[in-house]
Amino acid sequence: MPSIRGIDRRRAGVPMIGTIRPELFRSVEALFLDAALDPDLWPAALGAFARAGGSEASLFMTAQSATQLGAPSAGFEEIIEAASADGWPQRNPRFPRINARTWTNFVGDTELLTADEIARDPFYNELLRPFGLKWAAGSILLSSPTLGPVALTLERALDSDPFTPAELAALDSLRPSVARAVRLAESLGFRKLDGMIEGWEAAEIAGAILGPQGKVLRSTGALTAVLGDGLTLSGGRLTAAAVDDNRRLQAGIETGIRLPDAAAAGPMGPILIRRPSGRPPLVVEVSPLPPDRMLVFNGARAIVLIRDPAARSASSERRLATLFALSRAESRLAALLGSGVPLAEAAERLSIRYETARTQLKAVFVKTDTHRQADLVALFARLG
C-alpha cells in the first residue's frame, strides 16, 4: 500500500511539519466554529488541526467502537476505507485504554501502551506502517447520549517522533474551544432532527428516527398513538409482539442502521406487524438516512415510518364524505372499496347485506363520477 505522504502531501506541495505550531491555533478555532455551522467545512477544519498538530491527518472517532465519524481531513480516506474493510476498528488497541481512563486531556501512544506493545501489535505493523503512519494523539471532546465518548485524533508519520508531554500540553490549550465547536455541531444536529419531527407531526405521520444501536432518538405523537396493539417501545427500541414479526422488524432495523450503502437503495420493503385486536396489521417501513454531515454527532442512522390502515381508512372516510357529499354509510363503504376490498367482504365487515352494499355503491358511483371499483381505487390513491 502507498503511504499517505506519498499520495497526497508531496504531490500537493504541503511543507512537512514535525512539531506543534501554536501560531496556527487561532485559525483552527475559527475553522472548527465555521464547520459546526457548515458541516461541509469539517475536512478543511480537520486538515488545519492536523497541520497545527504537526501531523499527517485528523479525524473524529467514537471511543467505544473506534468508528470513524464524518469525513476525515483530506487524504485520509484511503486508510479509513482499508481499515473498515479489514475490521481494524475493532482491533485498535488505543481506544480500550482511552475508555478505561476516560481521558479528557490529549494523550499519546506512549501513555497508553508500552514500547513492547507498540512494537508487536498488528494494528501498528499491518495497518499503519504500510501507510507510513505510526504515532497518534487524541482526546475525548464530547459524551454523546447516542454515540458515547467522541474523540478527536491526530495521526503522525512513521518517521516522526511520538507526541511529547510538552506537545500534548499545547494541544490541551486548544481543546476547550474545539470541544465547544463540537458540542455546537451536536446541538444543531439535534435541532435538525427536531425539524424533521415537526414536519411529520404537521402531516400526522407516525415516524421515528433511530440511532446507531437501533434505539429511538425522536418520534412523533402519531407513532405513540399506534403503540400497544402489536407494537411497543421497550428500552427505547420498537418491538413487535409476534415473534416472527419482531424477527423481521429487528432485521429491517439492523439493515437500516448498519449498511453504509443502504441509503441509496431507499426503503427495504414493508414489514407487517399483526395486532392482537384483530385490526389490520400495521405497515412498517425502515429507510437508512442519507449521509448528512449535520447529523454526524447525534448518531441518527435510519427512519421508521408506520402506517395504520385502520386510521387511514377513517381519515379517508371523512375526506370522501366532505369532498363528495357522501353519507356516513356511503363513505365507509367507499373507503373500503377504494383500498381494494371486494364488495362482498366490505359488506361483511360493515355488517350489512350484500344487496344493501350494492345499493350504496350505486350512489357512490353517481356522487364520485366513477363507474367501477377500479375507478374508486384510483380515486382513493389520488386522495391518500
Side-chain angles (χ1 to χ4, degrees):
M1 295 181 184
S3 70
I4 184 173
R5 182 175 298 174
I7 291 173
D8 298 295
R9 290 176 64 87
R10 289 178 182 172
R11 185 166 61 192
V14 179
M16 299 304 299
I17 302 171
T19 58
I20 297 291
R21 297 176 60 180
E23 72 274 12
L24 298 179
F25 283 4
R26 187 175 295 275
S27 64
V28 170
E29 292 173 342
L31 281 168
F32 265 64
L33 182 58
D34 289 343
L37 301 174
D38 181 359
D40 287 337
L41 297 177
W42 276 122
L46 291 168
F49 180 57
R51 290 189 292 275
S55 303
E56 301 293 320
S58 177
L59 67 157
F60 291 108
M61 304 279 287
T62 59
Q64 290 179 347
S65 61
T67 302
Q68 179 249 342
L69 292 175
S73 57
F76 208 61
E77 297 86 354
E78 184 181 356
I79 297 178
I80 293 296
E81 183 178 350
S84 299
D86 294 336
W88 284 110
Q90 290 72 39
R91 291 180 279 170
N92 186 335
R94 297 164 174 163
F95 284 101
R97 305 291 176 89
I98 289 178
N99 289 326
R101 290 276 301 271
T102 315
W103 295 85
T104 52
N105 59 307
F106 274 92
V107 60
D109 293 271
T110 56
E111 295 181 86
L112 297 172
L113 302 160
T114 66
D116 185 62
E117 287 175 320
I118 293 172
R120 293 175 178 272
D121 196 289
F123 181 80
Y124 290 89
N125 294 314
E126 298 175 23
L127 175 66
L128 297 182
R129 180 177 290 274
F131 281 101
L133 298 172
K134 184 173 184 179
W135 306 110
S139 174
I140 293 174
L141 298 184
L142 174 72
S143 183
S144 165
T146 55
L147 297 172
V150 174
L152 173 64
T153 71
L154 288 166
E155 304 290 336
R156 271 188 176 173
L158 179 65
D159 57 2
S160 297
D161 293 324
F163 288 85
T164 66
E167 288 177 319
L168 294 172
L171 291 173
D172 284 339
S173 69
L174 182 60
R175 183 186 177 280
S177 57
V178 297
R180 282 194 295 271
V182 171
R183 288 195 295 270
L184 174 60
E186 179 196 36
S187 176
L188 293 174
F190 276 116
R191 289 187 186 181
K192 183 166 186 176
L193 296 188
D194 291 337
M196 293 171 61
I197 292 296
E198 288 175 7
W200 291 353
E201 294 279 18
E204 299 182 352
I205 292 173
I209 301 171
L210 305 183
Q213 306 303 321
K215 292 188 175 182
V216 173
L217 302 181
R218 297 286 191 274
S219 62
T220 63
L223 182 138
T224 303
V226 303
L227 297 177
D229 186 10
L231 187 67
T232 60
L233 186 60
S234 177
R237 297 184 65 94
L238 289 167
T239 305
V243 175
D244 290 345
D245 294 351
N246 192 53
R247 185 180 300 114
R248 287 189 291 271
L249 176 62
Q250 301 310 320
I253 289 174
E254 185 72 12
T255 300
I257 64 177
R258 297 295 178 204
L259 293 184
D261 297 324
M268 291 164 286
I271 302 166
L272 298 183
I273 305 298
R274 290 165 291 178
R275 300 200 271 187
S277 67
R279 302 178 75 189
L282 297 172
V283 181
V284 178
E285 292 189 69
V286 183
S287 300
L289 275 171
D292 188 335
R293 290 178 179 172
M294 181 68 79
L295 304 179
V296 163
F297 296 107
N298 56 35
R301 294 289 184 271
I303 62 174
V304 175
L305 300 178
I306 302 173
R307 288 184 286 115
D308 182 352
R312 184 183 180 190
S313 177
S315 174
S316 299
E317 289 174 23
R318 291 191 294 271
R319 194 175 305 175
L320 289 168
T322 301
L323 291 175
F324 301 105
L326 301 181
S327 68
R328 181 180 179 186
E330 291 166 350
S331 62
R332 292 176 66 193
L333 177 65
L336 286 174
L337 297 176
S339 62
V341 176
L343 182 61
E345 183 179 339
E348 183 178 350
R349 289 192 191 184
L350 296 172
S351 300
I352 60 177
R353 297 173 59 190
Y354 180 76
E355 290 77 10
T356 301
R358 287 189 62 186
T359 300
Q360 292 176 357
L361 178 58
K362 291 177 182 178
V364 169
F365 282 157
V366 170
K367 293 181 180 180
T368 60
D369 193 26
T370 55
H371 306 283
R372 51 182 181 155
Q373 186 172 353
D375 297 334
L376 278 178
V377 171
L379 178 63
F380 185 90
R382 290 196 301 272
L383 296 175

